[in-house]
Amino acid sequence: MGICRDMCMQPRMQRRLGGKRAALFVYAMEGLENMAFVANAVSLITYFLGDMNFSLTKSATTLTNFMGTAFLLPLVGGLICDTYLSRFKTCVLFACMELLGYGILTVQARFQQLRPIPCKDIAPIHMSQCKPAAGSQAAILYTGLYLVALGTSGIKAALPALGADQFDDKDPKEASQLSSFFNWFLFSLTTGAIVGVTVIVWISTNQGWSWSFTVCTIAVLFSILSICMGKSLYRNNTPKGSPLIRIIQVFVAAFKNRKLQIPENEDEMHEIHEKERGENYELLKRTDQFRFLDRAAIGQNSTGSWNLCTLTQVEETKILVRMLPIILSTIFMNTCLAQLQTFSIQQSTTMNTNILGFKMPGPSLPIIPLLFMFVLIPLYDRFFVPFIRRFTGIPTGIRHLQRIGIGLVLSAVSMLIAGFIETRRKSVAIEHNMVDSNEPLPMTVFWLGFQYAIFGAADMFTLIGLLEFFYAESSAGMKSLSTAISWCSVAFGYFTSTVVVEVVNKVSGGWLESNNLNRDKLNYFYWLLSVISVVNFGFYLFCASWYRYKTVEDKQGDSKDEADIVKV
């Protein structure tokens, strides 16, 4: 009787793990961590200018490098997570690195001897002492900055996957909750960002950077405590070895077996027998794309993982190869996002920023799309998805690739409207003879809210669509790495932005070369981005129509097809 009772209680205890309760701690960590990261992303340039005495060019480059690194390094965090550590341990480890980074920045901002002599209001006789941070001062700054970048990158790779692990996509009820998780994950990210661009930016502007970094340090500390509080509730993944090594093995084995004939019957190809599979082993069904890779799973006399791979390992590699065109087709949207974070901020400096007697700081301008997303996400999750689900029968309402496509369309619309708003702003400057004036135009900054709001909706569809798509489609052994790849779209978007601006300037004869926006042709630039976005969407449609969703077989040999060919 005692044995029977223990056996009955074990599945019941297992069912208590995961679910919405466990996800709450994931939401808390994401909100707190992103509150600190976004606040610095929008305002660090003023710290570099005012406290580090960097030039405007060096300040902008330092910030761009920091942001690009923060969105590229998730690849490292994803590899570590899938290969060595559980997602929970990865989150805690990298959050501690971020905490140390903010601690270093706090100490440097607190003590003047760790920073260069400020140039502001310095007497002309002492101007020779006004030098930018160098040597040990620069070393402290870059150490703190890139510890923050490394820390946040590991969290970006592991945290979404940790939260998604709490829901079983094979259970119909939990499958719908999984889709809802990604929406509320974005909601927590947005909520943290709203607090960051308002409260923390206000603290840095009015109370000083030492207080701002202190608040960021405390926020990350509480994010670590929050994720640790839910430890007993998590369904934890077991690392399955390096997915990168497994992928390389497939290409090497396929090359070695390139002269062998590919069998039509997949039973003749190498696979792990059922009795050898682990409890969570995921068996992938063979697809007809990239057939040259199938040679990695054939060879009767071959031994060793570099000569013979399983069919599931081959299909795991095919999934990643199929995903690459999807991520490439979303990079340009993030290039457009970079323009809103640079040129639109410059537009705001020429406009009336007074709101009910309060002057809104330039770095707080992203509050407009954030507030729009804050309202839109619950409406999407609670009304749109359940309504569409009645017709499609899909737990997510619409397929992941359809959601990404909607975001890309809205991105093009946002750039189109941005061009019209800029045309309107320039006409106001001409009407009031203020083309060369430094005074704010008699035009409220809320006009920029139209382009920001639409792009906020685009971000809601595309960002979470990508995260959900990469998590759902990747194999069990590379979910963190795949989640990390989705963030790379943002990184390459930032890096591509600079190239796009320089190329347009050279080809157009200087649309954006003047320091006076009233004389530049920024509206033409926005319309060009809109046209390119439409072309990019056409490329995306081709990639999405070509994509094949993965097919998983259960232990009885039945196949579970996620979808055949997506139709966007």
Side-chain angles (χ1 to χ4, degrees), residues 36 40 45 85 158 160 210 220 303 329 340 375 411 497 519 552:
N40 289 291
I45 192 168
L85 302 176
S210 61
V220 174
T303 57
S329 60
L340 290 182
V375 174
S411 161
S497 172
R519 294 191 177 277
V552 181

Side-chain angles (χ1 to χ4, degrees), residues 20 89 109 142 162 177 212 266 274 378 381 460:
K20 294 180 179 179
K89 291 180 180 178
Y142 291 128
L162 173 64
Q177 293 175 345
S212 174
E266 66 181 64
E274 185 173 346
D381 186 74
M460 184 197 75

Side-chain angles (χ1 to χ4, degrees), residues 244-277:
L244 190 59
I245 294 297
R246 293 198 301 273
I247 290 167
I248 295 174
Q249 286 173 344
V250 169
F251 281 100
V252 171
F255 178 78
K256 288 181 177 180
N257 301 336
R258 62 189 180 278
K259 296 181 180 180
L260 298 180
Q261 186 175 359
I262 301 175
E264 293 300 324
N265 188 355
E266 66 181 64
D267 291 336
E268 300 178 26
M269 305 178 73
H270 178 57
E271 186 57 276
I272 295 178
H273 297 294
E274 185 173 346
K275 61 182 180 180
E276 298 173 337
R277 300 173 199 161

